[in-house]
Amino acid sequence: MGEYGLHYGGKYMSSREELLDKLANAVVSGKVDMAKEGAQEVLAAGNSVLTALDAINEGLVKGMSIVGDKYAAYQVYLPQVLMSAHTMYGGLDILLPAIPKSEVENRKKCLIAVVEGDVHDIGKNIVKTMITASGFDVNDLGKDVPVQKIVETAEADQTNVVAMSTLMTPTMDGMKATIDGLIESGYRSKCKVIIGGAPTSPSFAETIGADYRGANAQDAASYLKEVL
Amino acid sequence: MAAEMSHLERASAALANEEVDRLTIYPIACGVCRKLIGDGNITYRQWVNDPKLFAQAFIEGQKYFDLDFAIGLMDLSVMAGDLGAGVRMDEQNTPFVDKHIVNGPEDYEKFEVPDIKKGRSAVLLEGTKIFADALNDQVITAGFIEGPLLALSQSAGAERMFMDIFTNPSAVHKALEIMTDYDAQMVEGFAKTGVKGLCWDYLWGNYACLGDAEYHEFEADKYASKLNKMTVDNGMAMCIHNCADLPHLDTQIKEFKPSIYSMAYYPLISDSPSASQVIEKGYADHCLVAGQVDPQVFIRSSAEDVAKITTNLCQEVKTALCKRNLKSSYCIASGCEIPPDINCKLENIKSMVDTAKVEGRM
Ligand code: B12
């Protein structure tokens, strides 16, 4: 029992710090049941102890950033990162519905997709995780997504960001076609477009009219936090 | 400079790091060579389902480009497809898996080795035999096969498999044993085709995906080592292709000891090793390393640019080989398969080969 623990009528309640630690540790160690349990405890403890939003940002997300940094430093690898992401989503599923409506409306929206013809989606999923961890509401359209679907969903969602991934050269043209589609639909000026994946480059981003090309998930998240 | 050699003489010399007239050359032009068959309009679907057409691409490719090797890569969904996964075959795109067959940990135990005399395993083996028969007197031929971890990730879905490595390692191992049995049968099948080598795709040996511990546990120690040995015991040279950004070179070159190691280079990814670094670090001391022209240039650049890129690579490689006292153990190759896209320019492939023939002279 931690030193911050409180007792109410003999029942032990975790303190804010304990709850945050539990969430962060669950994510770092990839224990989805622990994250879900921690999230339930946050709701049970109530806003006076810890709000759902703080539990996300200072607990789950903190854990995910630790894992992201370790991955970038080759201290952990995909199996751990994917389990941590899965764990973070497990906690988010419980905590997100508890965020007050006004705050939900303030959350920025991001659409993410792997462009048509390409099934490489591991990198995209890691980017999605880090953007989610930065407080964005991410709509994941998956892999092999046709241009038209990205363009239409961007407008329908009133998204703030369109993030596109491809690892293959032949499919890079899909990124340009999407941006052209966004220009045509009039939505381009209302969103940031970011791209990534090994064959893309900052100069390619410039050529096709994207706002940014990120080398990895961390870069994507920091860029979006900075500009939005 | 050595007198002009035949392809076979040159490639055999390079495999033994002996003197050559020029560096060996192999753009990994596989699917793209379907454009050289007949009127150039056969679809990818036809190409990957008909052994004669499959073989014809390599035979025509050899006539057209004049290479030192012929390596029969079809695509990476042959095994998964025969294991029951859904494979989408477009008219002009490499087939890919669009329906995985593992939906829960129990499914790992349901895998069974399919009949390799049927399905695309059979097409691959028969096609390989046809091109080996046609080309064995000209070049070194090799079959191409998916390693066990790749075959499993293609069947189960990579992300699921990676998470299960973490939560259900024993189930994953059970499935890997079946993949290894399947691969073992394919090794015997390839040995009967008469190819001189067999190239393994071990792409998960990549530090962007797995660390040493995971790679050793889930591919290297129990599965790849057995298959590598079997390849050699069946009379074929053991070759590896790994186009990853951060390949496990110590394991895959120093431990596995392949005859040929084919790899890519990603200048934008820090720590991705360039040709000269690979040579400097001793990886070409006992292995013919092949690389590292960026496959993108065959679509995006002009033939002149490809010539410049090839010239630079030849210079870089020759200097590095010379510094390390090596004679020929680097093959001027593309880092991965040349994109078989319809927009891929055959003249760029030709430009790479023709330039390397001149600039690769020793
Ligand atoms: C694993 C892999 C596969 C797996 C993919 C499994 C999956 N579910 O994703 C399988 C086996 C299915 C596969 C298939 C094929 N592959 Co593949 N594959 C790879 C490999 C080895 C690693 C990719 C990977 O997952 N890396 C790990 C992740 C975490 O890194 P990442 O994807 O790069 O993502 C990071 C960054 O790029 C960035 N990022 C990514 N997206 C975005 C988006 C934004 C907005 C931002 C900011 C950042 C960002 O952040 C990520 C996290 O840090 C690469 C080589 C390589 N190293 O890139 C080849 C590679 C991508 N494949 C290649 C090819 C050719 C194929 C095939 C056509 C092979 C074949 N002949 O069948 C098929 C493709 C079929 C198709 N139509 O899609 C080529 C593409 C060549 C090209 N330039 O065109 C590559 C580059 C290999 C090479 N050198 O040629 N492949």
Side-chain angles (χ1 to χ4, degrees), chain A residues 71 78 112-114 116-128 130-131 143-144 162-172 175 193-200 212-221, chain B residues 44 73-77 90 93-97 100 150 153-154 157-159 162 201 203-204 206 208-209 241-246 263-266 269 294-296 299 335-340:
Chain A
Y71 173 65
L78 274 186
I112 193 163
V114 175
E116 189 164 18
D118 190 352
V119 298
H120 295 89
D121 62 353
I122 299 175
K124 180 268 293 168
N125 291 345
I126 295 182
V127 173
K128 168 188 160 185
M130 294 318 289
I131 295 180
K143 59 196 172 196
D144 186 25
V162 173
M164 287 183 280
S165 172
T166 192
L167 295 200
M168 307 215 310
T169 311
T171 46
M172 284 163 73
M175 294 181 159
V193 176
I194 66 170
I195 62 164
T200 65
Y212 179 74
R213 184 264 179 190
N216 55 43
Q218 250 77 343
D219 284 4
Chain B
Y44 227 98
L73 160 66
M74 186 177 270
D75 56 75
L76 307 181
S77 46
D90 292 345
N93 190 5
T94 311
F96 57 84
V97 176
H100 301 296
L150 172 56
S153 69
Q154 289 286 65
E159 214 169 308
F162 282 129
D201 196 324
L203 63 68
W204 294 121
N206 174 4
C209 300
H241 171 71
N242 184 353
C243 58
D245 36 2
L246 304 168
M263 62 184 289
Y265 172 49
Y266 299 81
I269 294 180
D294 181 352
Q296 285 204 59
I299 293 190
C336 193
E337 184 185 13
I338 296 201

Side-chain angles (χ1 to χ4, degrees), chain A residues 50-72:
Chain A
L50 179 60
T51 65
L53 195 62
D54 285 353
I56 293 172
N57 290 333
E58 293 166 42
L60 296 174
V61 167
K62 187 174 155 215
M64 202 58 227
S65 335
I66 294 174
V67 176
D69 291 345
K70 284 191 169 181
Y71 173 65

Side-chain angles (χ1 to χ4, degrees), chain B residues 206-227:
Chain B
N206 174 4
Y207 290 110
C209 300
L210 295 179
D212 285 320
E214 295 90 347
Y215 186 63
H216 273 272
E217 178 176 347
F218 291 94
E219 186 155 83
D221 293 351
K222 273 204 267 174
Y223 312 114
S225 58
K226 175 176 166 184
L227 295 166

